């Protein structure tokens, strides 16, 4: 295996969208940050076909297998001009939960295959893998996974770092896995049909715009309120589920300033902003049977 120094560099961070999911696909701003959980890879030469093992997600695939992870791995190997490698990944991110697990995996693999790449070159390589998971990703997950920090993301301008302190958040997991591609396609159908969906996309974009100002001026109560309103807009867009709504309610009762689903919805995770009351909110979620943890938005690679 590679040296521990190399292994520790071959990491991809998870991410949390504070405000702006789905609307970001339509060109609006999203406010998001990298978190202190992710994927780390080590690799060594392989005798036979290239192989990728992720024991934490019970994944063990070879190039050529009919599996989305195998297809992404294959695409990354081709783009990196590598073959016959044995990659082993470790992760503390839940899969398919809206926390950027596929992007973190692609960034970690890209870094392990091509430790010489940084910046845009690394982002472009990792995106080749991410595109195998999501049909039309905005690119926000890979950008944050590579760069870390907190930032504003738009499809046209990419990631713009925000100079603001890191932010503790409580994450609650619904335990329901879902596909981002399917959720994005569902929203696209409703937007094309006209009606309310388009208005909700606009509303989410406006909330993200206001969230950027609230974050920069440290107005956390305002930010919490915007998050809760964004959850309402995502509900109206049809991407929430009962477990997410319940967790948002529980977090509010336990003293959170605001809470919302994060990511594509349909399952996955919710986040709560509860300065100074994070352990109480986490415990309230756990007492209702949900997995929950405290994380920091704004982690650096
Ligand atoms: O993959 P997720 O659940 O973190 O969702 C990504 C956020 C979306 O805006 C729904 C899709 C995208 O590509 O930005």
């Amino acid at each position: 295996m590679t040296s521990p120094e190399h292994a520790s560099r071959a990491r991809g961070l998870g991410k949390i969208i504070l405000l702006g999911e789905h609307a970001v696909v339509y060109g609006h701003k999203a406010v998001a940050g990298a978190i202190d959980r992710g994927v780390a890879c080590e690799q060594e030469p392989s005798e036979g076909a290239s192989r990728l093992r992720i024991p934490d997600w019970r994944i063990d695939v070879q190039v050529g297998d009919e599996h989305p992870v195998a297809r992404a791995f294959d695409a990354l190997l081709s783009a990196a001009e590598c073959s016959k490698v044995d990659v082993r990944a470790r992760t503390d991110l839940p899969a398919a939960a809206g926390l950027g697990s596929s992007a973190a995996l692609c960034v970690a693999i890209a870094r392990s295959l091509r430790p010489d790449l940084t910046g845009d070159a690394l982002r472009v390589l990792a995106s080749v893998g991410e595109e195998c998971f999501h049909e039309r990703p905005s690119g926000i997950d890979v950008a944050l996974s590579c760069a870390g920090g907190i930032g504003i993301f738009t499809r046209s301008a990419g990631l713009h770092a925000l100079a603001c302190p890191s932010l503790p958040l409580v994450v609650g997991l619904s335990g329901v896995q879902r596909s981002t591609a399917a959720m994005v396609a569902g929203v696209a159908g409703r937007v094309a049909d006209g009606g309310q969906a388009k208005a909700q996309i606009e509303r989410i974009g406006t909330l993200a715009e206001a969230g950027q100002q609230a974050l920069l001026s440290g107005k956390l109560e305002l930010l919490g309120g915007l998050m809760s309103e964004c959850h309402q807009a995502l509900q109206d867009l049809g991407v929430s589920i009962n477990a997410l709504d319940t967790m948002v309610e529980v977090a509010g009762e336990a003293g959170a300033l605001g809470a919302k689903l994060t990511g594509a919805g349909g399952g996955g995770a919710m986040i709560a902003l509860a300065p100074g009351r994070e352990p109480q909110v986490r415990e309230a979620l756990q007492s209702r049977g949900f997995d929950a943890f405290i994380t920091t938005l704004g982690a650096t690679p």
Side-chain angles (χ1 to χ4, degrees):
M1 284 281 168
T2 48
S3 68
E5 297 79 54
H6 175 192
S8 64
R9 275 201 309 270
R11 270 192 93 206
L13 299 173
K15 71 91 193 42
I16 281 177
I17 298 180
L18 211 49
L19 291 161
E21 47 275 273
H22 287 292
V24 69
V25 174
Y26 297 85
H28 292 280
K29 275 183 187 175
V31 185
I35 57 170
D36 53 1
R37 288 183 173 228
V39 178
C41 280
E42 296 177 288
Q43 58 107 346
E44 62 183 357
S46 151
E47 293 290 300
S50 291
R51 181 176 180 190
L52 171 62
R53 278 173 281 180
I54 318 168
D56 301 302
W57 293 337
R58 295 197 175 87
I59 287 174
D60 183 346
V61 293
Q62 290 197 345
V63 160
D65 286 353
E66 265 311 308
H67 191 289
V69 172
R71 283 194 288 276
F73 184 42
D74 197 2
L76 284 167
L77 287 167
S78 304
E81 296 176 357
C82 294
S83 61
K84 296 201 170 181
V85 288
D86 196 343
V87 178
R88 187 182 280 267
R90 299 304 316 246
T91 180
D92 54 3
L93 269 180
L99 301 177
S101 56
S102 59
L105 175 66
C106 293
V107 171
I109 294 173
R111 277 203 170 111
S112 79
L113 296 176
R114 291 292 304 272
D116 57 312
L117 298 183
T118 55
D120 256 9
L122 174 68
R123 190 182 54 74
V124 168
L125 174 58
S127 300
V128 170
E130 176 75 338
E131 277 156 23
C132 297
F133 291 104
H134 306 307
E135 275 156 42
R136 210 181 147 225
S138 62
I140 187 170
D141 291 20
V142 169
L144 279 166
S145 185
C146 290
I150 298 180
I152 296 296
F153 182 90
T154 56
R155 276 194 104 108
S156 55
L159 185 66
H160 169 77
L162 278 186
C164 58
S166 57
L167 195 66
L169 290 172
V170 184
V171 179
L173 300 174
S174 68
V176 179
Q177 291 200 348
R178 81 291 173 283
S179 139
T180 298
M183 296 307 297
V184 169
V187 170
R190 292 195 282 283
V191 168
D193 287 348
Q196 270 306 302
K198 208 161 177 286
Q200 298 312 330
I201 292 290
E202 299 296 320
R203 183 176 166 205
I204 294 166
T206 307
L207 290 167
E209 192 78 47
Q212 173 182 356
Q213 298 312 323
L215 195 58
L216 282 172
S217 52
K219 292 183 179 157
L220 296 188
E221 251 176 67
L222 175 60
L223 183 63
L226 295 168
M227 288 167 64
S228 296
E229 199 182 333
C230 186
H231 183 73
Q232 180 71 59
L234 289 161
Q235 253 183 344
D236 294 346
L237 192 59
V239 298
S240 192
I241 60 167
N242 286 342
L244 292 167
D245 297 341
T246 301
M247 285 194 287
V248 165
E249 223 177 280
V250 170
E253 286 163 8
L257 296 179
K260 62 182 276 290
L261 72 83
T262 186
M270 62 74 75
I271 50 169
L273 178 65
R277 289 191 60 81
E278 291 90 356
Q280 287 90 333
V281 171
R282 180 189 54 197
E283 274 144 38
L285 291 167
Q286 288 169 337
S287 74
R288 295 288 293 269
F290 297 106
D291 270 348
F293 60 89
I294 299 168
T295 190
T296 302
L297 194 78
T300 46

